[in-house]
Amino acid sequence: MSKLLSRFQGSLVGAVLGDCIGAVYELGGEITLSEILNTIYSIEASGGTDNKGKQEEILYSYTDDTAMARSVAGSLIKHKGFQLKDMVKRFTSEYKSEPDRGYGGNVTTVFQLLDNPELEDLYEPARKQFDGQGSFGNGGSMRIVPAALFSYNKDHSYVQTLTRQITEITHSHEQAIQGAILQCLAVHLALHADNTTPLDTDLFVDNLKTYMNKLEEEELKKPKVLTPTKKRTTRSSEKRDKPYCYKLDKIKEYLNQEKEVTVQELIDVLGNDISALGSVPAAVFSFLRSSKPMTGELKDRNSFEKTIIYAISLNGDTDTIATMAGAIAGAYYGIEAVPKSWQTCCEGVTDAIQYANQLEEFVSKSK
Ligand code: F2R
Ligand code: MG
Ligand code: MG
Ligand code: MG
């Protein structure tokens, strides 16, 4: 297998595994590392087969994160690019055929409105969400990984445009779009990074910050409607004005400090919730932290395994943080780092490999 194919497969399979295993704990309150490891041990003990070596039933099902990523992959492959009508059709058909995949509370309204042949502006339902604010949920970020693979030969501005087009179908809030861009750029960077030497985590964060800084600067220049109670203050604050840059700075700080950052501090500062701003930075951190040595129960695990387990250990939106972290880690380490037993226990892995093969064939031919 070529090195590129290994990384494409690793990324899409990593995303599926993060979703399937993370979904066991999604929004379920505090979980301990030991509890997560017990799940992992049972996966590894079964190896996806019963004790006679026959393939067992899939133990872990995928959720909306993977359901939507499959639509993104299928549409980009079919049309060799972005085709709005087709992607909308795939999202709505997928939702109608399996509405119980654990979709976000409000995005289902968008699917219902999109499922109308008379609708002329296919971006309108998303724009109307939350009284015209749009959704800031992480539903755009959780599904974006195929776009990073599809854009392998392209530059960051292509990645950003494609991500925006795909995300705005359901999420028009600028923070949701920027979160999806950060996630897509992180996978894109991981695919291109030299994985034969230790990862330069500072450089990885600096690259992401360059792009996010430009986006957040542009956003700041846009005129804002100020209500009497919401007067602009003169003091600038990176935390408020450039929240993604602020979190990227904190990620770098945590990676370089001697003392291990606590899970509670990560939750307080980076977040672990269903918003894009409160989850994409946590996923990026999970990948970067896991590229470095760890002590304790994760000490002897490879960095891909550490990424998934660590991401889930942040609690909160575990399936989505782990799917995004798994996509970045798989893109960097390749499919060889992904345990076979994990692959056989999770739904959707065979299809993920097919999508990866088709995307790799596309980018190899279109160099
Ligand atoms: N929804 C879930 N998990 C809930 C539990 C599911 C359960 N396991 C089951 O099976 O039933 N997970 C999935 O949702 C997240 C992605 O959500 P998405 O696609 O962004 O949806 P939505 O509806 O747009 O936003 C989610 C919620 O965020 C709040 N919100 C968003 N924008 C807002 C705004 N402008 N103002 C106020 N609130 C806003 C709302 O509460 C939305 O309902 C992933 O975790 C995925 O796994
Ligand atoms: Mg989900
Ligand atoms: Mg579905
Ligand atoms: Mg989730």
Side-chain angles (χ1 to χ4, degrees), residues 26 65 317 319-320:
E26 191 192 20
D65 307 55
D317 196 356
D319 66 331
T320 304

Side-chain angles (χ1 to χ4, degrees), residues 8-179:
F8 272 40
Q9 289 188 358
S11 186
L12 292 194
V13 171
V16 171
L17 298 187
D19 179 21
C20 289
I21 304 172
V24 175
Y25 303 100
E26 191 192 20
L27 308 174
E30 204 178 317
I31 25 158
T32 62
L33 188 56
S34 302
E35 284 175 85
I36 304 165
L37 283 169
N38 281 339
T39 299
I40 298 293
Y41 296 144
S42 74
I43 289 173
E44 292 172 344
S46 91
T49 57
D50 65 16
N51 55 16
K52 294 190 189 96
K54 277 195 300 191
Q55 183 69 41
E56 258 192 358
E57 265 184 85
I58 294 289
L59 295 173
Y60 299 93
S61 301
Y62 65 75
T63 76
D64 57 334
D65 307 55
T66 302
M68 296 199 81
R70 289 159 63 99
S71 293
V72 172
S75 187
L76 291 175
I77 292 164
K78 171 93 198 299
H79 293 281
K80 300 185 168 58
F82 179 68
Q83 222 273 3
L84 177 60
K85 240 180 164 173
D86 179 69
M87 203 165 289
V88 166
K89 179 90 195 126
R90 284 171 194 259
F91 285 163
T92 53
S93 309
E94 171 63 35
Y95 170 65
K96 276 203 294 187
S97 69
E98 291 187 298
D100 298 328
R101 289 278 185 189
Y103 284 89
N106 292 66
V107 71
T108 53
T109 310
V110 177
F111 297 139
Q112 280 149 18
L113 293 168
L114 284 173
D115 191 28
N116 166 13
E118 313 282 293
L119 184 70
E120 283 180 11
D121 178 359
L122 298 180
Y123 285 116
E124 186 186 73
R127 278 200 308 271
K128 285 194 165 164
Q129 289 287 84
F130 299 97
D131 296 324
Q133 255 191 63
S135 169
F136 54 57
N138 54 20
S141 327
M142 73 186 184
R143 67 180 185 237
I144 204 64
V145 51
L149 276 51
F150 183 82
S151 312
Y152 181 75
N153 294 324
K154 309 282 190 184
D155 68 4
H156 66 92
S157 84
Y158 181 95
V159 173
Q160 295 191 32
T161 304
L162 180 61
T163 302
R164 213 171 257 281
Q165 288 168 320
I166 297 170
T167 305
E168 283 180 337
I169 297 172
T170 50
H171 292 68
S172 70
H173 195 290
E174 188 58 27
Q175 270 182 11
I177 297 165
Q178 289 184 4

